[in-house]
């Protein structure tokens, strides 16, 4: 195997510092963030909590070492964070400017997803999540009594999820109060209370729920949770609840009150209190069996009356007049406006709109101009109407934004929504120039989709060695097919599928967003329903043809294609169809071998929606798009990758594909990870993944041969 890149290699990418989103302090002068860096020589990861001065750009380290996480601001110079202790316990530690860390309180079990809110009486409401036993008690895996048998018995659906077998334990939200006395903070009575004890509710929602699943307001907590009366394997429904709290010290909190949204029964997400504490904005989907349905932006005008909600851009037909997918929500300082993130043609942007549906009118919101890339997180800077801020440079109507792009894994900037001006505070791409990462390598192409009835976009990443010439130098095509299928390639950073890593091997990388992709309107996204191997496949055929015909620097005779999840399904589908013969090699990561096996997955609402029914009610749809129907035509060399902890697509899908290829004597290889899930996350495993994948495509695209010839030529010169 040969890795031809000599600068931006997989090892360079994987060992580069990974920065969290930046969070400004109350005065807007400092930014809190974390950095994680892996060293392949020492096979060790280091973690730091850091503070950045906005004006000078200088950073200082708050804490360095293992076990520290979840830093949040308690004041202008006070940082609260968690540190794992002995026997799995978690300790709350605060750091003040120039003062050594000290203990605020301790909890006898792991906690995470920390949120704080300063209350009117000067105390700080503290909330977090933790796993609890069926009796609502904090669960500590280190001290739990170990069973004598490993047997698991189930009598209902949803026996496992993502990468773990389900148990009777559940996630819950805990709350308490942090006091400050003599310039030191302490957790009152060293006690946290379970907000959901005895309710049958669980929040944050697994497996990926976090701080965006709940919020703290001066009058209590809001949170989202699955409907306990519906089976989570079949239905996506999550409701929004409100728990009124007067002091955040109540040992027996009131029962949660459900927020009613007539006509909308799908996922609820991103609840956020207004600054006044009376209103809550959140999103909710309509369908209770479609995980990628369009979220609607909603408002609770008065959380004391959770039975009354209003929808932004509502229409009489119930479809909604805003054809986009709102995600994160932020209130302006005066609560008059909302700032909302949403996907838009390969980017995640921020839009501004009035905070009341009655004031939006018919004009749809437009995006705020931000630096290149996609928004990862955003916050308002200090409110200049505060007395202490009036004499300072106004920043209150400015946003502190963390973005990423295809060439930048972290960029911190300040944007003024009114003037559409931005100032970059920190950009990792400045350091990345040494690795030949440049915006000049990135472009977007648009071509007619299947039947010419709609257009399709694709991101294009060229190698840093590329320059226009006549005749052009030819680079083999590398087509990357995204998963989901309701997903999209974005101008954003990734350490799992980074197009620049492939481009630097000597490919022109094309990342199409075909039918099923998000960010291009619901018609394109929903067009994949009942069409898994239809419209998306034909879009990819058109993409291949357009690229070969219109990009003179692309050598279509040496093309390769790679995909994961749904992209892996498409690789197996391509294998049995004419497009498969256009590629010299294929890579299938955690793909679908047979759609008839889709009921081996955990979230059954997914195949029920996409295949328009159950396996027993609409078997014909599953059979129609089954890659296994066409294995007689499989002929292209293929690397198949699968992991044993992938419960979304069990490893037998990968084994079946590999066995067919081997039995047919098609050049093939199997890469298996026993300790990874649907993604390959561990640094050492990821490095092996990259070496195997790049080695496979380089062998069949001819890049290996080119490199060997170049090395031999250089040797002869010497």
């Amino acid at each position: 195997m040969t890795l031809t890149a000599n600068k931006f290699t997989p090892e360079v990418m994987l060992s580069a510092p990974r920065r969290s989103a930046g969070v400004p302090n109350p005065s807007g002068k400092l930014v809190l963030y974390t950095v994680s860096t892996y060293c392949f020589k020492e096979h060790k990861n280091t973690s730091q909590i850091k503070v950045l001065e906005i004006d000078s750009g200088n950073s200082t380290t708050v804490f360095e070492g293992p076990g520290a996480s979840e830093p949040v601001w308690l004041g202008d110079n006070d940082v609260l964070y968690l540190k794992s202790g002995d026997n799995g316990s978690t300790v709350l530690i605060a750091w003040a400017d120039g003062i050594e860390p000290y203990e605020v309180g301790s909890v006898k079990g792991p906690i995470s997803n920390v949120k704080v809110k300063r209350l009117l009486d000067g105390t700080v409401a503290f909330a977090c999540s933790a796993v609890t036993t069926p009796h609502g008690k904090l669960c500590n895996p280190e001290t739990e009594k170990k069973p004598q048998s490993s047997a698991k018995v189930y009598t209902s659906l949803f026996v496992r999820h993502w990468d773990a077998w389900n148990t009777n334990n559940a996630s819950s939200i805990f709350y308490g109060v942090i006091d400050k006395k003599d310039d030191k903070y302490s957790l009152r009575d060293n006690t946290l209370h379970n907000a959901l004890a005895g309710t049958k509710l669980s929040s944050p929602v697994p497996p990926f729920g976090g701080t965006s699943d709940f919020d703290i307001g001066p009058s209590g907590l809001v949170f989202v949770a699955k409907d306990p009366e519906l089976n989570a394997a079949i239905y996506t429904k999550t409701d929004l609840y409100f728990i009124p709290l007067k002091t955040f010290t109540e040992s027996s909190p009131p029962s949660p009150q459900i927020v009613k949204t007539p006509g909308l029964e799908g996922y609820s997400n991103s609840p956020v209190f207004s600054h006044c504490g009376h209103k809550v904005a959140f999103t909710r989907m309509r369908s209770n069996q479609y995980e990628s349905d369009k979220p609607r932006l909603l408002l609770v005008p008065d959380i004391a009356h959770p039975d009354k909600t209003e929808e932004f851009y509502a229409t009489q037909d119930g479809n909604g007049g805003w054809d986009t997918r709102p995600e994160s929500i932020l209130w302006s300082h005066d609560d008059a406006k909302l700032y909302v993130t949403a996907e838009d043609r390969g980017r995640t942007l921020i839009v501004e709109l009035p905070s009341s549906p009655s004031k939006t009118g018919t004009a749809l919101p437009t995006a705020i101009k931000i630096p290149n890339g996609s928004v990862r997180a955003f916050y308002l800077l200090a409110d200049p109407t505060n007395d202490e801020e009036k004499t300072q440079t106004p920043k209150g109507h400015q946003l502190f934004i963390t973005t990423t792009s295809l060439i930048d894994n972290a960029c911190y900037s300040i944007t003024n929504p009114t003037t559409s001006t931005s100032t970059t505070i920190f950009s990792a791409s400045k350091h990345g120039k040494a690795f030949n990462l440049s915006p000049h390598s990135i472009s977007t192409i648009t071509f007619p989709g299947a039947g010419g009835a709609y257009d399709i976009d694709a991101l294009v990443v060229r190698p840093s060695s590329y320059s226009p010439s006549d005749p052009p130098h030819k680079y083999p095509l590398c087509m990357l097919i995204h998963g989901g299928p309701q997903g999209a390639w974005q101008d954003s950073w990734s350490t799992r599928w980074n197009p620049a890593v492939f481009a630097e091997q000597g490919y022109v990388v094309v990342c199409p967003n075909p039918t099923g992709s998000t960010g291009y309107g619901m018609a394109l996204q929903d067009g994949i329903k009942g069409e898994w191997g239809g419209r998306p496949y034909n879009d990819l055929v058109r993409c291949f043809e357009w690229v070969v015909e219109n990009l003179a620097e692309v050598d279509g005779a040496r093309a390769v294609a790679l995909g994961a999840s749904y992209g892996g399904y498409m690789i197996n589908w391509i294998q049995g169809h004419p497009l498969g013969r256009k590629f010299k090699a294929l890579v299938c990561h955690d793909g679908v071998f047979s759609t008839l096996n889709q009921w081996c997955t955990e979230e059954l609402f997914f195949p029920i929606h996409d295949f328009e029914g159950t396996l027993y009610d609409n078997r014909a749809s599953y059979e129609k798009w089954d890659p296994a129907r066409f294995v007689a035509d499989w002929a292209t060399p293929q690397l198949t990758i699968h992991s044993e902890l992938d419960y979304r697509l069990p490893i037998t899908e990968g084994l079946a594909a590999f066995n067919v290829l081997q039995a047919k004597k098609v050049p093939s290889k199997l890469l298996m990870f026993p300790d990874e899930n649907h993604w390959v996350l561990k640094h050492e495993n990821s490095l092996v993944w990259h070496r195997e994948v790049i080695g496979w495509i380089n062998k069949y695209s001819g890049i290996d041969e080119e490199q060997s010839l170049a090395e031999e030529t250089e040797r002869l010169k010497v």
Side-chain angles (χ1 to χ4, degrees):
M1 179 196 70
T2 302
L3 297 179
T4 64
N6 55 18
K7 290 188 176 180
F8 190 61
T9 64
E11 188 167 347
V12 166
M13 178 193 67
L14 294 170
S15 58
R18 303 185 186 186
R19 294 172 179 83
S20 70
V23 182
N25 69 347
S27 68
K29 299 176 182 178
L30 303 175
V31 174
L32 181 64
Y33 66 103
T34 63
V35 180
S36 174
T37 308
Y38 191 81
C39 177
F40 282 101
K41 289 184 179 179
E42 299 181 4
H43 308 289
K44 185 174 69 172
N45 194 64
T46 59
S47 298
Q48 297 174 311
I49 298 175
K50 300 179 76 70
V51 169
L52 171 72
E53 283 187 354
I54 288 181
D55 289 340
S56 70
N58 296 326
S59 292
T60 57
T61 300
V62 175
F63 183 88
E64 181 172 357
S69 63
E70 308 273 347
V72 294
W73 290 108
L74 280 186
D76 246 7
N77 293 300
D78 304 320
V79 178
L80 181 146
Y81 60 95
L82 305 181
K83 190 174 186 304
S84 300
D86 296 336
N87 299 320
S89 65
T90 303
V91 179
L92 305 176
I93 298 178
W95 173 87
D97 190 13
I99 302 176
E100 287 296 315
Y102 61 91
E103 183 176 315
V104 171
S106 61
V107 182
K108 295 181 179 179
I111 62 175
S112 59
N113 298 313
V114 170
K115 270 195 171 182
V116 294
K117 171 73 174 180
R118 190 166 293 279
L119 302 176
L120 294 177
D121 63 1
T123 62
V124 177
F126 175 92
C128 64
S129 68
V131 175
T132 61
T133 68
H135 303 293
K137 301 297 183 182
L138 191 69
C139 177
N140 189 340
E142 298 294 327
T143 58
E144 268 193 327
K145 184 178 179 181
K146 303 298 186 290
Q148 298 300 314
S149 169
S150 61
K152 301 180 187 297
V153 179
Y154 298 90
T155 58
S156 64
L157 279 174
F158 214 42
V159 299
R160 60 184 189 177
H161 198 194
W162 192 247
D163 58 6
W165 289 84
N166 287 333
T167 69
N168 289 325
N169 292 338
S171 180
S172 192
I173 299 170
F174 285 76
Y175 64 87
V177 166
I178 294 177
D179 299 304
K180 188 176 184 180
K181 186 177 181 181
D182 299 329
D183 289 330
K184 282 206 170 186
Y185 293 97
S186 63
L187 179 64
R188 187 179 298 181
D189 300 325
N190 202 38
T191 300
L192 293 176
H193 308 284
N194 184 353
L196 309 185
T199 64
K200 297 183 180 180
L201 299 174
S202 178
S203 185
V205 179
F208 305 120
T211 54
S212 63
D213 279 6
F214 65 96
D215 198 26
I216 307 173
S219 58
L221 294 169
V222 287
F223 65 94
V224 298
K226 286 275 191 179
D227 187 333
E229 303 303 320
L230 297 178
N231 193 285
I234 299 292
Y235 296 98
T236 60
K237 184 183 180 186
T238 58
D239 293 301
L240 178 64
Y241 296 87
F242 169 57
I243 297 180
L245 297 170
K246 293 181 179 179
T247 65
F248 285 85
T249 60
E250 291 90 338
S251 58
S252 299
S255 297
Q257 302 173 19
I258 193 168
V259 174
K260 297 181 179 180
T261 59
L264 303 177
E265 297 184 341
Y267 277 124
S268 298
N269 279 304
S270 306
V272 183
F273 272 104
S274 61
H275 293 284
C276 71
H278 301 305
K279 305 174 183 179
V280 174
F282 67 108
T283 67
R284 186 158 200 183
M285 299 178 183
R286 179 165 58 173
S287 172
N288 63 8
Q289 285 192 308
Y290 184 18
E291 66 176 353
S292 299
D293 197 8
K294 180 176 71 174
R296 316 301 176 88
L297 184 61
L298 297 170
L299 174 73
V300 185
D302 185 355
I303 194 61
H305 301 282
D307 57 336
K308 296 179 180 179
T309 56
E310 300 174 5
E311 180 183 346
F312 289 79
Y313 305 106
T315 57
Q316 289 186 346
D317 61 7
N319 293 326
W322 191 19
D323 193 24
T324 194
R325 301 172 55 84
E327 297 172 354
S328 302
I329 303 169
L330 185 68
W331 290 82
S332 63
H333 290 299
D334 58 4
D335 290 336
K337 297 178 181 178
L338 292 178
Y339 300 100
V340 180
T341 59
E343 283 186 86
D344 183 64
R345 306 188 73 85
R347 298 178 68 193
T348 295
L349 303 177
I350 301 172
V351 299
E352 177 185 284
L353 67 159
S355 62
S356 172
S358 63
K359 296 181 180 180
T360 58
T362 58
L364 297 177
T366 57
I368 296 170
K369 186 177 180 180
I370 62 169
N372 292 335
S374 295
V375 176
R376 182 178 173 188
F378 64 119
Y379 300 87
L380 277 170
L381 289 179
D383 185 353
T385 60
N386 291 342
D387 290 338
E388 61 188 38
E389 294 294 324
K390 285 181 179 178
T391 59
Q392 301 178 14
T393 302
K395 295 181 180 179
H397 300 294
Q398 295 185 335
L399 299 171
F400 184 89
I401 304 174
T402 301
T403 56
T404 72
S405 70
L406 288 166
I407 61 165
D408 196 342
N409 69 7
C411 177
Y412 301 150
S413 62
I414 295 175
T415 293
N416 187 316
T418 303
T419 62
S420 296
T421 56
S422 294
T423 302
T424 298
I425 307 302
F426 170 85
S427 174
S429 67
K430 294 180 181 179
H431 305 281
K433 287 182 179 178
F435 305 124
N436 290 341
L437 299 180
S438 167
H440 301 297
S441 299
I442 315 298
S443 64
T444 301
I445 59 173
T446 302
F447 54 90
Y454 50 89
D455 287 340
I456 296 296
D457 283 358
L459 293 169
V460 178
V461 183
R462 294 173 175 84
S464 57
S465 59
Y466 168 78
S467 63
S469 59
D470 189 16
H473 177 79
K474 293 281 190 176
Y475 298 91
L477 167 66
C478 176
M479 181 182 286
L480 301 183
I481 307 172
H482 70 67
Q486 292 85 4
W489 292 114
Q490 286 198 346
D491 184 9
S492 61
W493 188 262
S494 172
T495 54
R496 291 187 289 116
W497 287 89
N498 191 307
V501 164
F502 296 96
E504 286 305 282
Q505 293 296 314
Y507 296 93
V508 171
V509 182
V510 176
C511 308
N513 284 325
T515 296
S517 299
T518 54
Y520 296 87
M522 293 305 295
L524 185 74
Q525 177 186 314
D526 292 344
I528 197 170
K529 184 178 181 181
E531 281 281 329
W532 261 40
R535 278 180 56 179
Y537 170 78
N538 292 324
D539 291 343
L540 296 176
V541 172
R542 297 296 295 269
C543 178
F544 183 92
E545 294 172 347
W546 192 96
V547 167
V548 171
E549 292 173 5
N550 292 276
L551 299 185
E553 69 273 21
V554 169
D555 185 352
R558 299 164 57 200
V560 297
L562 306 83
S565 193
Y566 172 80
Y569 160 87
M570 185 52 72
I571 290 295
N572 288 337
W573 182 261
I574 286 172
Q575 262 284 20
H577 290 79
L579 184 57
R581 307 295 78 78
K582 301 288 187 180
F583 295 108
K584 291 295 184 181
L586 301 171
V587 177
C588 173
H589 176 105
D590 288 3
V592 176
F593 172 72
S594 174
T595 48
L596 293 178
N597 296 335
Q598 280 288 282
W599 277 56
C600 291
T601 194
E602 5 86 291
E603 294 179 344
L604 294 173
F605 51 74
F606 177 77
I608 289 173
H609 175 271
D610 276 24
F611 293 98
E612 301 180 295
T614 64
L615 183 61
Y616 42 89
D617 287 331
N618 192 16
R619 183 183 180 91
S621 180
Y622 291 80
E623 291 179 337
K624 182 177 182 179
W625 306 118
D626 187 359
R629 286 178 56 208
F630 305 96
V631 292
D633 296 318
W634 286 24
T636 301
Q638 178 168 316
L639 168 63
T640 300
I641 307 168
H642 229 99
S643 300
E644 285 197 328
L645 295 181
D646 185 357
Y647 297 159
R648 183 136 299 185
L649 288 168
I651 193 171
T652 49
E653 295 293 282
L655 289 171
F658 176 69
N659 289 347
V660 166
L661 291 162
Q662 285 283 301
K664 288 175 61 64
K665 301 190 182 304
V666 177
S668 50
K669 182 185 284 191
L670 174 68
L671 173 61
M672 189 278 290
F673 295 100
D675 56 347
E676 298 282 4
N677 54 37
H678 201 54
W679 303 326
V680 176
L681 300 177
K682 298 179 179 179
H683 290 82
E684 301 286 351
N685 287 344
S686 185
L687 184 58
V688 171
W689 185 97
H690 280 87
R691 287 175 172 170
E692 290 291 338
V693 168
I694 291 172
W696 184 260
I697 61 176
N698 285 359
K699 174 182 177 180
Y700 289 98
S701 68
I703 283 184
D704 267 0
E705 187 176 345
E706 278 186 349
Q707 181 70 9
S708 297
L709 182 60
E711 291 174 353
E712 180 64 16
T713 301
E714 288 298 316
R715 188 185 67 80
L716 292 175
K717 286 181 180 179
V718 175

